[in-house]
């Protein structure tokens, strides 16, 4: 997990954490395999209510290899879903979302999941529903993957009704978002064995707590209020909640609106060399000057870049080492420092000049180590600066919303 874009954030929104049970997917996979083997060796069938994509690929790959290792390669695996065919085909083309080991296979080329051979040898068979071709090739004992994990609809309901009366059979629940009692409630009394093995690959508190304290170090964290204390099913587990003593946190409940004050007057940005060359610096006093900048504002991973507005080819600002889809873009002209939209793009690591910017004011900090401001200016300092430039006939008068400076003899009003 690359945490560099999230470090030292003013505000970090934290959600999607595995908090209802210990985060140990490898351990639950081992328990799942053990229960499955014990069932099929006893002549029973195993049902796994799953979604038709995602975790099912890993489970299928794991069981194909595990059954072969224990000498049960003759046990058929059935994948029943209206989108089973498309799902298995999709598993071979979305390598950019997989771990590096599986991504490497796609460049050989090899399928990232070792399911093609299992399909060819009929160890893994897939069907759109429980009718038709499944009836002709179905044999037991077997392992069935079907939806829906809630057991409220889908083909899994058919298998629950068919196998629920025998203690030889087993249903293994792997989705962490559904509790065992609520999921199995419509099928009670249930004779078949039920095993809860939540395979949850989300980050757990044992990962998040040290990451927040030692790496991310945000100024403030906003999180669901349930993260502040252990879940009711594991009330004694202090490690299943967020460490709020060392991290400034604010809890938020469902439907609640939270007002967050952001103290961030300036944002650091990088100014393209060609824009720095074109800028005309006007010195207010030694070490302080102002310049007008007109360009395109690019943003990536909380970093800002100002490039030439007339530059037609922005692809050079995309990193050559990492593919990135081009985002939708809008243009902001910063001629007066009041950009209202940002053109978002992925910049390269080219030599750029650092600046600091804010809306509506922009402070430029070029490599010459000169501080340059743009925005609200004190009228007294402005009159003094004009006087140093030889413009001494200035009169300052207050208006309803600011100041008016009248330069006599020049027909100029600021």
């Amino acid at each position: 997990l690359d945490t560099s874009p999230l470090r030292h954030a003013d505000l970090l929104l934290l959600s999607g954490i595995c908090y209802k049970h210990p985060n140990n997917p490898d351990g639950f996979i081992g328990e799942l395999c053990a229960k499955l083997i014990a069932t099929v060796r006893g002549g029973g069938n195993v049902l796994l209510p799953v979604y038709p994509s995602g975790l099912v690929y890993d489970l299928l790959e794991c069981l194909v290899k595990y059954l072969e290792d224990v000498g049960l390669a003759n046990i058929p695996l059935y994948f029943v879903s209206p989108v089973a065919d498309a799902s298995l085909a999709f598993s071979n083309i979305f390598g950019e979302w997989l771990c590096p080991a599986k991504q490497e296979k796609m460049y050989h080329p090899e399928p990232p999941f070792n399911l093609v051979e299992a399909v060819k040898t009929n160890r893994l068979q897939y069907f759109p529903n429980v009718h038709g071709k499944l009836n002709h090739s179905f044999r037991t004992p077997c392992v069935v993957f079907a939806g829906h994990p809630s057991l409220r609809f889908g083909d899994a309901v058919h298998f629950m009704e068919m196998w629920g009366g025998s203690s030889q059979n087993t249903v293994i629940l792997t989705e962490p978002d559904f509790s065992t009692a609520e999921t199995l409630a419509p099928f009670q009394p249930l004779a078949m064995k039920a095993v809860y093995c939540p395979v949850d690959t989300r980050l757990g508190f044992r990962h998040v707590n040290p990451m927040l304290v030692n790496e991310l170090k945000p100024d403030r964290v906003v999180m669901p209020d349930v993260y502040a204390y252990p879940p009711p099913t594991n009330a004694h587990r202090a490690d299943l909640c967020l460490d709020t003593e060392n991290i400034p946190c604010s809890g938020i409940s469902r439907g609640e609106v939270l007002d967050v004050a952001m103290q961030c007057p300036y944002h650091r940005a990088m100014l393209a060399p060609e824009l720095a060359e074109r800028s005309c610096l006007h010195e207010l006093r030694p070490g302080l000057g102002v310049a007008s900048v007109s360009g395109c504002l690019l943003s990536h991973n909380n970093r800002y870049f100002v490039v030439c507005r007339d530059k037609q080819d922005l692809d050079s600002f995309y990193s050559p080492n990492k593919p990135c889809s081009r985002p939708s873009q809008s243009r902001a002209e910063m001629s007066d420092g009041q950009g209202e939209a940002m053109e978002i793009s992925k910049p390269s690591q080219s030599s750029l000049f650092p600046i600091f910017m804010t809306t509506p004011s922009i402070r430029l900090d070029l490599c010459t180590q000169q501080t340059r401001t743009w925005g609200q200016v004190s009228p007294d300092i402005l009159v003094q600066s004009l006087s140093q430039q030889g413009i001494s006939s200035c009169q300052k008068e207050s208006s309803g919303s600011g100041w008016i400076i009248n330069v006599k003899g020049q027909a100029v009003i600021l």
Side-chain angles (χ1 to χ4, degrees), residues 344-361:
I344 301 176
S345 163
K346 187 166 185 177
S348 66
Q349 302 298 325
S350 59
S351 176
L352 300 173
F353 294 94
I355 67 171
F356 289 89
M357 68 178 195
T358 181
T359 303
S361 60

Side-chain angles (χ1 to χ4, degrees), residues 267-272 275 279 291-299 304-309 330-343 355-364 374-375:
H267 295 278
R268 184 180 181 88
M270 306 299 290
L271 184 64
L275 276 182
S279 62
S292 174
V293 178
S294 177
C296 291
L297 179 63
L298 313 182
S299 174
Y304 299 96
F305 300 79
V306 182
V307 300
C308 290
R309 184 166 53 89
S330 60
R331 176 152 298 180
E333 294 189 3
M334 298 177 58
S335 59
D336 58 354
Q338 299 188 20
E340 298 179 356
M342 291 190 301
E343 183 172 14
I355 67 171
F356 289 89
M357 68 178 195
T358 181
T359 303
S361 60
I362 295 180
R363 179 163 62 88
L364 305 180
W374 180 260

